[in-house]
Amino acid sequence: LQICQDAIMQWLCSDKIASFGVMKPDIVFFGESLSADYHDTLQKDIEQCDLMLVLGTSLRVAPVNTLPQQISSEVPIILINREVVGRPNEFDVHLLGNSDDVVNTLL
C-alpha cells in the first residue's frame, strides 16, 4: 500500500505519472498461450488428482474445458458456478450460486 500511496503522491505533486512496470495477475487472459509448465505437468496432475473443483467458468475455452473429461471416473468433480455448464453428467455435484458465497458457506 505504501508504494501505491507514494506513487499517487508523486503523481499529484508533479506533471509526470509514476511507473512501476506492468502489473498482471497470475492468470491467463483470453488469447494468451498457456505456460509451458501447464503442458509439462498436466498428465502427472491428472493422474494424481483425487478431487476436481471447477469454479466460476463458462467452460468454453480449450484446452482447459476438456479437463473434467480427462479425470478418472472415480474422481469426484464438483462445479461451483452461477449456472450449469459442461456436458450432461460431467459433474458429480452442482453447487450453484456466486462462487465466493458458495465457498464461504462450505467453510
Side-chain angles (χ1 to χ4, degrees):
L1 289 175
Q2 187 62 46
I3 291 173
C4 293
Q5 184 178 18
D6 291 346
I8 292 168
M9 291 307 296
Q10 181 181 350
W11 178 74
L12 290 173
C13 296
S14 73
D15 58 346
K16 296 181 182 179
I17 296 178
S19 175
F20 296 98
V22 176
M23 294 176 61
K24 179 181 181 281
D26 190 19
I27 61 170
V28 177
F29 289 110
F30 185 78
E32 287 185 326
S33 297
L34 295 169
S35 68
D37 185 53
Y38 171 85
H39 298 287
D40 294 343
T41 62
L42 180 60
Q43 192 57 43
K44 181 180 175 185
D45 292 340
I46 288 171
E47 292 167 4
Q48 293 180 350
C49 181
D50 59 357
L51 171 67
M52 177 179 258
L53 300 174
V54 178
L55 287 86
T57 180
S58 66
L59 214 59
R60 292 185 182 167
V61 179
V64 178
N65 63 342
T66 63
L67 288 178
Q69 300 151 28
Q70 297 178 51
I71 300 298
S72 166
S73 61
E74 297 174 10
V75 173
I77 305 175
I78 299 172
L79 175 69
I80 301 174
N81 212 31
R82 289 184 184 168
E83 60 191 16
V84 175
V85 295
R87 296 178 174 191
N89 303 315
E90 188 166 32
F91 298 97
D92 298 297
V93 177
H94 295 97
L95 301 176
L96 300 181
N98 290 328
S99 296
D100 288 348
D101 297 336
V102 172
V103 170
N104 284 328
T105 300
L106 294 173
L107 297 177

